[in-house]
Amino acid sequence: MTARKAPQKTSQTMKPSTAAKKLDVYLPATPAEFQEGVVSRDELNALQTDPPEWLRELRRTGPHPRSVVAARLGVSISGLARAGITEALTTDDIEAIRADNPDWLEHERTTQAEVRRQAAEQKQQKP
């Protein structure tokens, strides 16, 4: 009878696209070595707790993924699409849109506020 070996603990890995989403960064703007490899859970945790300079710079100046752009503008991702914004934007681009305060931005912010208000009402109505 052969003794059973305890299962070896293997580290979970993820695709670079998944890691980029978890880090809230735009994958094409990351370094090539990040885009071409796999990221372990431990590496992701290290990037989150002690980000390297490239990650800090990317978070600071962009380009940012649509989810981050939408959050910084106070609109939904769908609202960005309705406004024709489909590409990643830099922090400067986002600030320029805020400064211009176009009609679509006001409209989408109002829409977003209404959606949140309705969601809050529904949450309060549940027993």
Side-chain angles (χ1 to χ4, degrees):
M1 186 174 238
T2 334
R4 283 184 132 180
K5 290 184 178 180
Q8 248 184 341
K9 186 175 181 182
T10 58
S11 180
Q12 287 183 321
T13 59
M14 61 192 82
K15 294 178 187 176
S17 59
T18 303
K21 284 179 187 176
K22 290 180 180 287
L23 293 168
D24 278 333
V25 295
Y26 184 57
L27 181 62
T30 60
E33 60 270 9
F34 181 85
Q35 294 179 38
E36 294 165 1
V38 293
V39 180
S40 72
R41 176 69 59 191
D42 291 338
E43 290 169 331
L44 179 67
N45 290 340
L47 288 169
Q48 290 172 325
T49 56
D50 187 23
E53 183 56 35
W54 67 263
L55 182 54
R56 288 194 301 271
E57 184 65 22
L58 193 54
R59 286 176 169 168
R60 190 171 31 256
T61 62
H64 304 287
R66 288 177 297 163
S67 60
V68 173
V69 173
R72 289 187 179 190
L73 290 174
V75 300
S76 66
I77 294 173
S78 298
L80 289 178
R82 284 189 291 272
I85 298 176
T86 56
E87 71 282 351
L89 298 179
T90 64
T91 300
D92 290 341
D93 295 335
I94 295 168
E95 292 303 320
I97 291 171
R98 280 185 183 159
D100 291 347
N101 201 23
D103 291 341
W104 69 263
L105 182 59
E106 282 297 316
H107 175 76
E108 292 300 337
R109 283 180 170 168
T110 302
T111 301
Q112 184 75 349
E114 180 63 18
V115 167
R116 287 182 177 150
R117 184 191 64 75
Q118 289 174 356
E121 281 180 7
Q122 287 177 351
K123 189 174 183 179
Q124 286 179 345
Q125 289 175 359
K126 288 185 178 179

